[in-house]
Amino acid sequence: MPADGVPLQPKDKLLTTEEILRLARIFVEQGVRKIRLTGGEPTIRRDIVDLVAEMKALPQLEHVGITTNGLVLTRLLLPLQRAGLDSLNISLDTLQKDRFEKITRRKGWERVIAGIDLAVQLGYRPKVNCVLMRNFNEDEVCDFVEFTRDRPVDVRFIEYMPFSGNKWHTDRLISFKETVELIRQRWPEFEALPNGPNDTSKAFAVPGFKGQVGFITSMTEHFCGSCNRLRLTADGNIKVCLFGNKEFSLRDAMRSNVSEEDLVDLIGAAVRRKKRQHAAFSPRHAEPLADGKSPNDTDRRLADTSRPSTIASAALFHHHLHSHRSQLLQAARHCSSLSHVNAQGKAQMVDVGEKPTSMRLAQAEATVLVGERLTQLIAANELAKGDVLSVAQLAGIIGAKRTSELIPLCHNIPLSSVKVQAQPLANEQCVRLEASVRCTGQTGVEMEALTAVSIAALTVYDMCKAVSHDICITNIRLLRKSGGKRDYQRREQS
Ligand SMILES: Nc1nc2c(ncn2[C@@H]2O[C@H](COP(=O)(O)OP(=O)(O)OP(=O)(O)O)[C@@H](O)[C@H]2O)c(=O)[nH]1
Ligand SMILES: C[S@@+](CC[C@H](N)C(=O)[O-])C[C@H]1O[C@@H](n2cnc3c(N)ncnc32)[C@H](O)[C@@H]1O
Ligand code: SF4
């Protein structure tokens, strides 16, 4: 706990019980089988027991766990167990009462130990998380191993990770290998055990001890290759990586009544951007790897993990859709000479039922002139609102899918593919957007491609307008289309 405490989020920014449960249901329907409630500190939520009970009622969910500072377990663990809690991890960085009070700036060490013992009595095999820091608690490594002699607990040593403001430094990191060597000086028989496919920790034990020891080697041997985790912050942002920027505000999407289908799309798009390894570091390792690969640098490079990036565009996007739609409907009422008008002067859709089915493709582009500074900020992904290019891409995809709702007489066409590319061009000081839409049907998809780039362009505007209003959306145009009665190819494309 920092000396000045930590700023708390206003309550209305946090997800409500209903919002958490709705997202839990959606995630489970999409294939998630384990949910861990962590934090922040999950036990400060008054609804924590109800949350566990409601989640356990989701038929396909196999496991609900919690990670807690353990301070109120003696009061809460029994109700949590009755609610169905499957497992618990308790954070404890020291076995010394005074040191605990120094780290946490509060009393309560005895309560945490009592919470661990209660968990054991109730039949759990709790995991005890201990972050090792040099010149701080490294002298307790063997005490923690000793803690596993008579208790069926899994003590896990976590390599100290850099998070914004925690004064991380390479020198403070105590590596997995170093810790194992230290333990083997006292217990030479300390042995490795098998691990599960997506475990964060490497299991070890002293033969004969009731408990075991694990190592979470996020820094020296990252396990990103087998990482299958998604993270949802207390205020509703989905993060596909612990070290990544915030992704989308699912809270804002839900509060602006985005449909469930679009919510699933937002989640899917975030998941597809999950990288092979964590974003915050160069691929270099801090020291020789256990698998024998040689390191090339001991100086770990950190990217800026504290960069703010609130992406609340789902809400704004929804707003655009609605205002855009009513403007368009108004315009349609004044257009009496359209071909989509019947003999009585009423608007009608063209009946495409007789047309042959064919594979149709349309490509369109748009250019957003943003100026030099914004082009640089976008390229470096340094805008406060978040990752402009990814959000624009996603908005374009949603736009293509919603075209028939926006353009009054457009058919609702099942699309087989929508691809949107967003590229900052340094020389032209612009973002170029290109959409490519495909379907197999009786009418084409040029409106879908044009809508995709238009919505993507508006999204770029929306995410940049805090920096400058000197932005111009231009050159929204069809590039080519094929598969219908007449193909089209734009000649001059600059
Ligand atoms: N790099 C990385 N580290 C993680 C991730 N999840 C958990 N950890 C590390 O594991 C520590 C303990 O996290 P816990 O909340 O106990 O969760 P867990 O280890 O995933 O728990 P289990 O489900 O019991 O394996 C964290 O402090 C991190 O150091 C992750 O997704 N990526
Ligand atoms: C952030 S806490 C949140 C849950 C809960 N409040 C708790 O104390 O367990 C989750 C885990 O992250 C660990 N953790 C916190 N800061 C860390 C750091 N800089 N490096 C590695 N692990 C860290 C904690 O020790 C804890 O086990
Ligand atoms: S990809 Fe991110 S979340 Fe997954 S293990 Fe690596 S750091 Fe953790």
Side-chain angles (χ1 to χ4, degrees):
M1 177 60 72
D4 310 332
V6 285
L8 295 178
Q9 284 268 32
K11 210 169 164 211
D12 64 337
K13 295 254 159 62
L14 300 179
L15 291 177
T16 63
T17 313
E18 292 69 33
E19 286 169 338
I20 293 179
L21 292 172
R22 179 174 177 210
L23 288 175
R25 176 183 56 73
I26 293 176
F27 279 114
V28 171
E29 281 169 6
Q30 296 302 312
V32 166
R33 294 290 170 264
K34 173 172 172 179
I35 292 180
R36 167 167 303 286
L37 299 164
T38 171
E41 173 50 45
T43 57
I44 61 168
R45 282 194 73 111
R46 292 226 182 102
D47 57 358
I48 187 73
V49 175
D50 296 336
L51 279 176
V52 171
E54 296 279 344
M55 285 180 186
K56 284 302 290 178
L58 296 169
Q60 291 161 295
L61 184 62
E62 291 164 11
H63 192 111
V64 176
I66 194 170
T67 303
T68 169
N69 60 25
L71 279 168
V72 294
L73 279 178
T74 44
R75 177 167 60 81
L76 270 187
L77 191 53
L78 205 55
L80 283 170
Q81 188 177 45
R82 283 201 201 106
L85 184 75
D86 293 292
S87 67
L88 75 158
N89 300 356
I90 300 160
S91 305
L92 182 65
D93 297 332
T94 176
L95 292 171
Q96 298 175 14
K97 185 168 166 286
D98 296 349
R99 205 174 259 181
F100 177 91
E101 287 170 15
K102 202 168 144 207
I103 302 172
T104 63
R105 296 177 203 275
R106 64 187 346 154
K107 298 200 180 304
W109 180 83
E110 294 89 344
R111 274 189 282 146
V112 180
I113 298 289
I116 295 171
D117 288 337
L118 176 65
V120 172
Q121 280 164 24
L122 293 178
Y124 288 106
R125 191 181 166 96
K127 294 179 185 172
V128 175
N129 287 336
C130 168
V131 180
L132 280 182
M133 285 164 276
R134 196 174 305 284
N135 300 328
F136 194 72
N137 59 356
E138 63 191 313
D139 54 332
E140 292 189 56
V141 166
C142 288
D143 297 344
F144 270 103
V145 178
E146 192 61 45
F147 195 71
T148 67
R149 184 187 290 272
D150 297 317
R151 286 185 182 83
V153 299
D154 181 359
V155 166
R156 299 187 308 169
F157 293 116
I158 303 176
E159 286 177 343
Y160 184 38
M161 299 195 286
F163 289 112
S164 56
N166 77 350
K167 299 190 183 139
W168 186 90
H169 194 276
T170 324
D171 300 345
R172 299 197 74 185
L173 172 77
I174 305 178
S175 74
F176 152 57
K177 283 193 77 181
E178 187 183 340
T179 316
V180 171
E181 275 163 23
L182 196 80
I183 296 171
R184 285 206 169 124
Q185 282 172 18
R186 168 117 168 242
W187 291 282
E189 67 279 28
F190 188 60
E191 62 182 8
L193 303 173
N195 298 297
N198 304 105
D199 284 354
T200 49
S201 67
K202 299 174 172 53
F204 281 70
V206 179
F209 282 19
K210 279 195 180 155
Q212 64 186 52
V213 176
F215 296 89
I216 299 183
T217 61
S218 324
M219 302 302 295
T220 62
E221 291 186 22
H222 73 75
F223 34 85
C224 305
S226 60
C227 171
N228 59 358
R229 281 139 196 266
L230 296 175
R231 211 165 280 276
L232 188 66
T233 59
D235 56 357
N237 282 302
I238 179 168
K239 285 177 76 173
V240 290
C241 175
L242 191 58
F243 286 105
N245 274 348
K246 282 184 226 166
E247 297 275 342
F248 291 101
S249 172
L250 297 180
R251 176 200 63 198
D252 290 348
M254 285 190 291
R255 290 184 188 176
S256 60
N257 295 326
V258 163
S259 72
E260 187 135 328
E261 194 193 350
D262 286 342
L263 210 51
V264 172
D265 279 348
L266 285 168
I267 295 167
V271 174
R272 278 189 289 278
R273 276 201 303 281
K274 193 161 167 62
K275 304 279 190 303
R276 272 166 188 259
Q277 67 180 52
H278 48 77
F281 307 100
S282 72
R284 291 178 285 191
H285 290 265
E287 57 181 62
L289 306 180
D291 62 6
K293 287 185 194 133
S294 59
N296 49 16
D297 201 338
T298 50
D299 175 22
R300 187 178 302 278
R301 292 280 168 83
L302 298 179
D304 183 6
T305 52
S306 60
R307 191 170 58 194
S309 65
T310 317
I311 300 181
S313 67
L316 293 160
F317 174 59
H318 199 69
H319 172 71
H320 286 318
L321 280 183
H322 276 291
S323 51
H324 196 195
R325 186 187 311 175
S326 59
Q327 277 168 20
L328 290 166
L329 283 169
Q330 234 177 351
R333 272 185 225 119
H334 297 296
C335 287
S336 57
S337 58
L338 291 172
S339 61
H340 293 48
V341 168
N342 68 11
Q344 288 76 43
K346 297 271 194 265
Q348 66 172 10
M349 279 174 98
V350 175
D351 184 349
V352 295
E354 301 298 315
K355 287 179 151 188
T357 299
S358 61
M359 174 133 78
R360 291 154 185 275
L361 168 76
Q363 286 173 315
E365 72 170 352
T367 305
V368 190
L369 304 171
V370 290
E372 188 181 358
R373 180 163 138 69
L374 269 168
T375 309
Q376 282 166 359
L377 287 171
I378 292 168
N381 192 8
E382 275 173 356
L383 270 157
K385 271 200 174 178
D387 182 350
V388 177
L389 301 174
S390 303
V391 179
Q393 245 176 332
L394 193 66
I397 293 170
I398 300 176
K401 287 164 63 181
R402 291 282 188 91
T403 303
S404 66
E405 290 173 41
L406 291 164
I407 313 287
L409 301 176
C410 263
H411 294 81
N412 182 3
I413 306 168
L415 306 178
S416 46
S417 150
V418 181
K419 292 195 179 111
V420 178
Q421 285 171 359
Q423 209 189 355
L425 302 178
N427 290 341
E428 291 84 352
Q429 300 179 0
C430 71
V431 176
R432 183 172 178 273
L433 300 153
E434 187 173 318
S436 173
V437 183
R438 213 181 271 278
C439 80
T440 304
Q442 290 164 306
T443 184
V445 280
E446 69 191 86
M447 288 313 300
E448 281 70 9
L450 285 162
T451 307
V453 290
S454 305
I455 297 290
L458 283 170
T459 305
V460 172
Y461 183 95
D462 177 40
M463 295 190 70
C464 296
K465 68 185 191 311
V467 177
S468 165
H469 287 101
D470 196 7
I471 299 172
C472 177
I473 298 176
T474 176
N475 273 353
I476 298 177
R477 57 193 186 172
L478 185 70
L479 294 175
R480 63 190 66 84
K481 69 173 192 143
S482 61
K485 227 174 4 190
R486 271 172 299 136
D487 288 356
Y488 170 82
Q489 170 72 52
R490 178 172 294 277
R491 293 242 168 82
E492 160 274 318
Q493 298 209 354
S494 60

